Amino acid sequence: MLEDNKSYLNDLNDAQLNAVLKTDGPSMVIAGAGSGKTRVLTYKIVHLVNNGIDPFEILALTFTNKAAREMKLRISSMIGESDSKSIWMGTFHSVFAKILRFEAHKIGFTSDFTIYDTQDSERLISSIIKEMQLDKDVYRSKAIRNRISTLKNNFITVNGYFSNNELVESDNLSRKPETGNIYKEYNERLVKSNSMDFDDLLMKTNELLNNHPEVLAKYQEKFKYILVDEYQDTNNSQYLIVKSLSDKYQNICVVGDDAQSIYSFRGANINNIINFRNDYDDVEIFRLEQNYRSTKNIVNAANSVIEHNKNKIDKEVWTENDFGDKVQISSNQSDIAEARSICQKVQSINDTNLSDIAILYRTNAQSRPIEDSLRLNKIPYRIFGGVSFYNRKEIKDILAYLRLIINSNDEESFKRVINYPARGIGLVTINKIIIAAQKNSLSLYDTVKKHKELNLPFSSSVSLKLQNFIDLIEVFKIENEKLNAFDLTKELINKVKIIDELKKDESPEGISRVENVQELLNGIRDFIEDQKEIVDSDDNLSEFLSNVTLSTDFDIEKDNNQDYISLMTLHLSKGLEFKHVFIVGLEEDLFPSALSYNTRSELEEERRLFYVGITRAKQNLYLSYANSRYRWGKLIYCEESRFLNEIDKDFVNITKQINYNPINQETTKKKIIFRPKGNLKKITYSNKDNRSIKLNFSEGDKVSHEKFGNGEIVKIEGLDNDVRAIVNFSKFGEKNLLLRFAKLNKI
């Protein structure tokens, strides 16, 4: 033992100390954000060992391998490697897999059983669907795997499924009446191959403990002391296992924060922590309420928000840190203006690394305007938990179609979309096309176009499918001569039925892909509106694709030593902290999500998610929303999130928006009257309603632009619809802007 005294206890505050010293009996540690939860859990294990508890009798359960590794490392440094290794510590799945290997023979497996990961499971399910001759577009392997996973995590066996009329009817209504039979065949295949999937590690452990009392007694005796991290994230299966193992000695300590329960979509049940005191006798509750992470203003803002939840455990988080700056709330004319404002603030933050800054959003699709603005301003960033917007599969698929319309010789784009969505053109056919193209010195596209002339060995069925594909692209080549980039892309998406294809995946990931396609259309609409401002610019497809290519060329070099801003969803931010945090898109229907309005519990989880985002910030918190944004390419007006109004106004500063008022000729039908007077150019827009909007600019005026930032008007020239201003922007140089469209504001 490295530490034979209790000096380590001096590192703890009173609340942390009391939680650590409680060794016997059930206890719950309610740990507010930034309150030292991990330290308490770690020191409690050390204290148990230092007080004579056999390390072999301690079970510590975490949710991530990272958390387990960090705890092991710290514990090892305090009590020595030997004792540290004797503690059963790891994720739920890793610990229960270990138990199952010891006891496998009792449930019909051998100890060397294979564990199927998610991809293994999906491949097996896909094979079963094919063998059963089911429509793979209806029975999508990923969706079926998710359905089976949900069943297993709720202890619903195959027999249980077939005896539950509600479950069977639900799948019938979803046009998936064979779901139960797939589940049955899938389980039988797993058993035959001596394999378990991830969900089995929980389900089989429950079965083992329930059906074999001697095994339960064995592990109850073994694990006299049980500690569980992030207890608010446990699902029903995890809850029951922990309850069974701890039932004899009841020396159980759970640590968590009900205010950070945000994973109900993964099966987490907040009631596990809310009702913990009802599960055991004489539960002692410890509240870690001192926040060591954030300023007073941030802590108080978070408290005022979460106070609006009804289903919660009472606590009052506080801090001895400085008040710091107030939380900044800003409204913006559009999501583009919001992104530009963020870039300005980032560039104004002094004496910090970019790695100290995080931009958080509700959905992945929201990254698009932010990424565009960061690239425009040459600010390095990194997307966590995903890839940059234009590199997402569904976006690359659509862009490949668009590139092929522009350039039919683009072989990579051809290979990407020839069979997407699936149209019955398999790899064998594609390989024949490639060989024929090489032989005849033709592009892949021209080879298919001329496949009948070349007498290629395709069946009539395949030949028809190839011809239909060529006809599709040729039609859009013609359309490209008539339509702008937005209209053409929207028509293409509808014609190819890409949204229908993506909607077949009903998982959160599938929904996210649909949102990304929506955001691509929004981005194209933004591009078109931008092009209207710039003299002699085009809004066609070729120009848009060039713009995307130039943008993505800036994509960050993958240098691990480079300083990056972190971009991620709010869900992924849990457990992290940053000096400066931006939370964007705080609008009704976006955050809180429109999908959360059905029940109080769903809305309260959205509020907890907001609380998690707020409490990531150490020094500065910036909250923002847009008054308008595009949805499916249509401009909509947004209402600020109710969550913003729930923050006590004592802790915030509100920044008024800058209103840009371009005069859109398409909608206002205004006639332009130009009357020069000295050096001042007064431009009056008048319409048949006798309304007029006057924009007064003169050469030398300082102006601000939604996208390009601050600049100075160098020259004003032109007549009628062609009145233009040459503006020298400090970061982007000179731009020649049409004033009837220009998003300019005097400063």
Side-chain angles (χ1 to χ4, degrees), residues 441-584:
S441 299
L442 294 171
S443 70
L444 299 181
Y445 185 88
D446 285 339
T447 301
V448 175
K449 195 173 180 180
K450 299 178 180 180
H451 76 275
K452 292 180 181 178
E453 298 174 34
L454 298 170
N455 292 317
L456 298 185
F458 298 133
S459 68
S460 58
S461 173
V462 170
S463 177
L464 179 61
K465 292 168 182 174
L466 292 171
Q467 189 59 53
N468 287 341
F469 176 73
I470 294 295
D471 291 345
L472 172 77
I473 302 300
E474 291 296 314
V475 165
F476 277 100
K477 283 185 176 187
I478 296 170
E479 292 290 279
N480 185 44
E481 300 297 320
K482 301 182 290 184
L483 301 177
N484 63 33
F486 173 80
D487 291 332
L488 186 135
T489 306
K490 186 177 180 181
E491 188 173 324
L492 173 76
I493 289 169
N494 291 334
K495 184 72 175 177
V496 181
K497 298 186 183 308
I498 287 176
I499 297 298
D500 292 345
E501 178 70 16
L502 295 174
K503 282 184 175 180
K504 291 173 182 175
D505 181 359
E506 298 170 355
S507 69
E509 293 83 3
I511 295 170
S512 180
R513 292 188 186 99
V514 174
E515 291 171 343
N516 286 334
V517 173
Q518 172 187 340
E519 190 55 39
L520 175 64
L521 288 172
N522 298 341
I524 299 174
R525 177 62 80 185
D526 281 334
F527 163 78
I528 289 173
E529 293 302 315
D530 286 347
Q531 295 301 93
K532 287 179 181 178
E533 293 185 68
I534 301 171
V535 177
D536 299 326
S537 63
D538 292 317
D539 60 4
N540 58 31
L541 183 58
S542 181
E543 190 71 18
F544 169 72
L545 291 174
S546 296
N547 188 67
V548 169
T549 301
L550 292 171
S551 295
T552 52
D553 273 351
F554 174 72
D555 276 350
I556 305 161
E557 301 173 7
K558 303 303 179 185
D559 179 2
N560 291 330
N561 296 319
Q562 187 173 356
D563 202 17
Y564 303 103
I565 287 180
S566 299
L567 273 63
M568 68 190 77
T569 64
L570 284 144
H571 280 98
L572 282 177
S573 73
K574 187 171 176 293
L576 305 177
E577 59 181 36
F578 301 90
K579 284 184 181 178
H580 314 281
V581 170
F582 295 82
I583 304 178
V584 305

Side-chain angles (χ1 to χ4, degrees), residues 605-662:
E605 178 150 333
E606 288 286 290
R607 186 175 287 110
R608 292 195 295 270
L609 185 59
F610 185 42
Y611 176 86
V612 166
I614 292 173
T615 55
R616 299 311 94 196
K618 297 165 68 175
Q619 292 182 10
N620 295 100
L621 176 65
Y622 305 92
L623 310 176
S624 60
Y625 63 96
N627 290 309
S628 66
R629 66 173 65 237
Y630 286 103
R631 297 267 177 94
W632 295 109
K634 294 181 179 179
L635 188 65
I636 65 160
Y637 294 94
C638 310
E639 179 185 355
E640 67 183 272
S641 171
R642 70 189 72 189
F643 296 155
L644 293 176
N645 295 316
E646 292 174 357
I647 304 175
D648 192 312
K649 296 301 182 285
D650 290 341
F651 313 124
V652 302
N653 277 331
I654 300 174
T655 304
K656 292 183 178 180
Q657 68 187 54
I658 297 175
N659 286 308
Y660 299 96
N661 292 305

Side-chain angles (χ1 to χ4, degrees), residues 143-206:
I144 297 297
R145 190 203 69 80
N146 289 340
R147 177 65 162 162
I148 292 173
S149 175
T150 301
L151 293 171
K152 287 188 175 185
N153 280 316
N154 285 284
F155 312 116
I156 300 170
T157 62
V158 171
N159 290 336
Y161 172 87
F162 282 114
S163 61
N164 190 317
N165 292 331
E166 188 175 334
L167 289 173
V168 173
E169 184 61 24
S170 173
D171 287 328
N172 288 339
L173 291 172
S174 301
R175 297 191 305 117
K176 301 183 185 75
E178 294 297 320
T179 298
N181 291 323
I182 298 172
Y183 184 17
K184 181 174 182 290
E185 181 65 21
Y186 172 70
N187 269 3
E188 289 175 355
R189 293 279 190 92
L190 286 175
V191 173
K192 284 179 185 176
S193 59
N194 193 40
S195 302
M196 297 185 197
D197 61 22
F198 275 166
D199 300 306
D200 283 330
L201 298 178
L202 301 180
M203 191 174 186
K204 298 294 184 185
T205 301
N206 265 302

Side-chain angles (χ1 to χ4, degrees), residues 253-289:
C253 175
V254 300
V255 182
D257 182 7
D258 59 294
Q260 297 186 66
S261 179
I262 58 174
Y263 295 120
S264 66
F265 65 94
R266 292 197 303 211
N269 187 348
I270 190 175
N271 291 317
N272 292 346
I273 192 168
I274 297 287
N275 298 328
F276 180 81
R277 69 192 80 186
N278 300 326
D279 292 332
Y280 300 89
D281 298 327
D282 301 320
V283 174
E284 195 163 352
I285 298 175
F286 302 93
R287 289 177 172 82
L288 307 185
E289 296 174 316

